Amino acid sequence: MTPERYAKILRVLSRRQPTLTVLMDQVNKPHNLSAIIRTCDAVGVLEAHAVPPDDGRPLDFEGHTFEATSGSAHKWVRVRRHASAAQAVSDLQGQGFQVLATHLSQRSVDYREADYTRPTCVLLGAEKWGVGDAAASAADGNIIIPMFGMVQSLNVSVAAATILFEAQRQRLAARMYDAPQLSPAELRDRAFEWSYPDMSAEYRERDEPYPTLDDAGQIIL
Ligand code: SAM
């Protein structure tokens, strides 16, 4: 761990937005999952959520199984797995998130009309059938990116990026990237996990608190 690398980790963590997330409902193409997680990292999403595809396969990021942690953006954005979209929507609402389903319905509004400075989860649907009706009606709102072409829908990762960068625009205007949104304790824990992933897994296994790091990211023994 170099001091420069540790400084970058702290800089990135200090802009993470724990109150902005996505729920991917059975998005089954690995390259789409990867692209969405990359966008999450760029926008500052701390954690994403996913319901794995119904075909029994694990969530897969370009050859890495769901649990794999090396070499891609999902190293920096934890993905929490849920058994069903309905349950995930209700859990996230219970945690204070407004869930906005990307879904065309009577109550859909242009995605730019939503207030993303509120704790927000963007619900994204499967490539083939989109967001299920049950999850879309349980959501707090339905949003849509207006389409004026011959094709009816965008690629799911393109839709995710369009909406998440609008969220970033609103949050920048509200100065939500100016000060850390993570508590000092959470920022410290995440900094240790990002700096020392293997060691942090061992600490978690032993159920021990992480050691303290000095200003250069070195472990204080
Ligand atoms: N046939 C599917 C349907 O009827 O919903 C198309 C699904 S689309 C290829 C996959 C996902 O991308 C959607 O569930 C939604 O999350 C997102 N998406 C695609 N186009 C969108 C748009 N114009 N507005 C909002 N979300 C969109």
Side-chain angles (χ1 to χ4, degrees):
M1 173 61 50
T2 63
E4 293 75 23
R5 173 86 172 159
Y6 185 62
K8 179 167 184 185
I9 285 176
L10 288 184
R11 208 165 48 243
V12 170
L13 280 172
S14 73
R15 294 190 181 128
R16 278 297 195 247
Q17 305 284 304
T19 56
L20 179 64
T21 190
V22 297
L23 168 59
M24 299 171 280
D25 182 16
Q26 304 203 36
V27 172
N28 63 359
K29 295 194 175 145
H31 60 272
N32 284 338
L33 282 166
S34 276
I36 295 169
I37 296 301
R38 245 171 122 147
T39 299
C40 284
D41 176 54
V43 167
V45 167
L46 179 71
E47 268 182 7
H49 300 264
V51 177
D54 228 359
D55 55 12
R57 282 184 304 128
L59 281 173
D60 187 81
F61 297 92
E62 313 229 56
H64 297 279
T65 56
F66 181 72
E67 285 79 13
T69 50
S70 63
S72 289
H74 57 276
K75 190 171 169 185
W76 315 114
V77 180
R78 185 182 290 166
V79 182
R80 294 202 180 273
R81 183 202 295 257
H82 298 263
S84 76
Q87 190 57 53
V89 168
S90 136
D91 288 351
L92 286 158
Q93 287 170 329
Q95 290 164 35
F97 284 88
Q98 63 165 342
V99 176
L100 301 178
T102 51
H103 184 71
L104 185 60
S105 70
Q106 298 281 8
R107 62 180 180 130
S108 301
V109 296
D110 184 310
Y111 74 104
R112 286 161 288 213
E113 287 177 30
D115 177 1
Y116 300 94
T117 63
R118 291 175 54 193
T120 300
C121 171
V122 178
L123 170 55
L124 300 156
E127 289 86 344
K128 260 197 183 146
W129 48 83
V131 173
D133 285 337
S137 9
D140 301 277
N142 288 182
I143 51 173
I144 202 79
I145 303 163
M147 304 279 294
F148 299 135
M150 297 289 285
V151 179
Q152 268 186 343
S153 65
L154 296 166
N155 169 279
V156 63
S157 66
V158 173
T162 304
I163 295 164
L164 286 174
F165 277 99
E166 167 63 12
Q168 186 204 59
R169 187 193 68 76
Q170 292 188 13
R171 284 173 174 244
L172 275 168
R175 309 187 72 100
M176 292 174 77
Y177 291 90
D178 288 5
Q181 305 278 312
L182 292 171
S183 70
E186 201 173 356
L187 207 146
R188 249 190 340 261
D189 282 354
R190 291 299 163 99
F192 184 75
E193 288 166 4
W194 286 17
S195 305
Y196 300 96
D198 295 339
M199 214 187 286
S200 67
E202 291 166 16
Y203 273 90
R204 283 196 301 281
E205 232 163 72
R206 296 198 301 266
D207 205 16
E208 284 177 18
Y210 297 143
T212 308
L213 300 180
D214 68 16
D215 289 347
Q218 300 307 306
I219 296 171
I220 301 175
L221 297 169

